[in-house]
Amino acid sequence: MRSATVITLAALGSLASGYQLPAKLKSLYDQHKSGSCSKKLAGPFNGGASYCGDINGAIFLKGNGNYDNMDIDCDGANRTGGACANDPSGQGETSFKDTVKTYGIPDLDANVHPYIVFGNEGASPSFNPQAHGIKPLSVMAVVCNGQLHYGIWGDTNGFTSTGEASLSMGKLCFPNEHLTGNNGHDPKDVLYIAFTGADTVPGKNGANWKAKNTDDFAKSIKSLGDKLVGRL
């Protein structure tokens, strides 16, 4: 899950620049980065991060004195397209493909949809976000490179790795790092936040699932993302 080759503008479009961190979210980022998690839900996983419940109404990945890295996931539709061409571990579908198909597309496309891999199954330790109130295909917040981006909880990890997102999310966060299906962002400075509650899911009509580029999709979930961040 990481990759290199030229990506056409048709695949990713003009990437949305990140949003400025709201003061409260910046404070939370700074406050929780040092130290460890006091309300550990599961972990530590491979790499040292745990699922943490220290923020009310949210679950985030927390390392010891840091957050997590960003490996690149290319699962889903078009899994060998663009800079996903050299992904050594890509899968042909994402975890919530059956629901995504009801939205009018065959599956999430890592080159278009900024999704986050959240939850671990099939190995020990494991973590099921749904058991803690996180809904599939809900909007998540990602703090990276000093900016805020929004994505979708779109996949789970079948083993014990954490800190993973689609290629398009990686390129939003780190546009100058030449991320690919086989090359991620190693520093553990990325904060992934999932939100609890049924109102976190845009559903079929609340997001532009048929978007042809990342910019259009990201814009379509911004209002919901702003709402969720605003209640932290």
Side-chain angles (χ1 to χ4, degrees):
M1 309 212 175
R2 302 178 181 201
S3 100
T5 47
V6 176
I7 295 183
T8 63
L9 288 177
L12 281 177
S14 56
L15 293 180
S17 58
Y19 309 118
Q20 182 176 355
L21 284 179
K24 186 173 182 181
L25 182 56
K26 185 180 186 307
S27 177
L28 286 172
Y29 181 94
D30 294 339
Q31 173 188 343
H32 290 280
K33 185 174 184 180
S34 62
S36 57
C37 174
S38 61
K39 188 179 179 182
K40 188 179 297 184
L41 304 176
F45 287 78
N46 183 27
S50 299
Y51 290 92
C52 184
D54 285 353
I55 299 176
N56 187 42
I59 298 173
F60 64 103
L61 282 164
K62 176 73 180 77
N64 188 16
N66 51 31
Y67 287 114
D68 214 339
N69 63 350
M70 184 178 284
D71 288 337
I72 298 301
D73 188 84
C74 288
D75 294 357
N78 194 29
R79 71 178 183 85
T80 60
C84 279
N86 67 346
D87 181 8
S89 58
Q91 305 295 314
E93 60 184 30
T94 60
S95 296
F96 311 120
K97 177 181 178 179
D98 290 345
T99 301
V100 172
K101 288 172 68 175
T102 69
Y103 296 167
I105 57 175
D107 199 354
L108 297 177
D109 183 338
N111 288 283
V112 173
H113 301 103
Y115 67 75
I116 295 91
V117 181
F118 205 72
N120 296 76
E121 54 191 359
S124 181
S126 64
F127 181 70
N128 178 7
Q130 294 186 65
H132 296 268
I134 308 299
K135 303 296 184 183
L137 301 171
S138 57
V139 169
M140 292 183 61
V142 179
V143 179
C144 52
N145 204 15
Q147 296 182 315
L148 168 64
H149 289 283
Y150 297 120
I152 294 290
W153 176 30
D155 207 1
T156 59
N157 187 277
F159 298 100
T160 58
S161 295
T162 62
E164 190 174 6
S166 68
L167 177 65
S168 56
M169 175 58 78
K171 288 186 172 293
L172 285 175
C173 284
F174 306 106
N176 299 319
E177 293 191 15
H178 310 292
L179 302 185
T180 72
N182 198 37
N183 177 45
H185 173 80
D186 291 331
K188 296 179 180 181
D189 55 5
V190 181
L191 173 58
Y192 302 91
I193 306 175
F195 302 93
T196 59
D199 63 344
T200 59
V201 182
K204 180 179 181 178
N205 299 315
N208 184 4
W209 300 100
K210 297 181 180 180
K212 300 300 183 184
N213 60 70
T214 305
D215 188 36
D216 287 347
F217 183 81
K219 288 177 180 177
S220 76
I221 59 173
K222 183 180 184 299
S223 60
L224 179 53
D226 287 345
K227 172 186 172 182
L228 298 175
V229 166
R231 70 188 190 196
L232 289 175

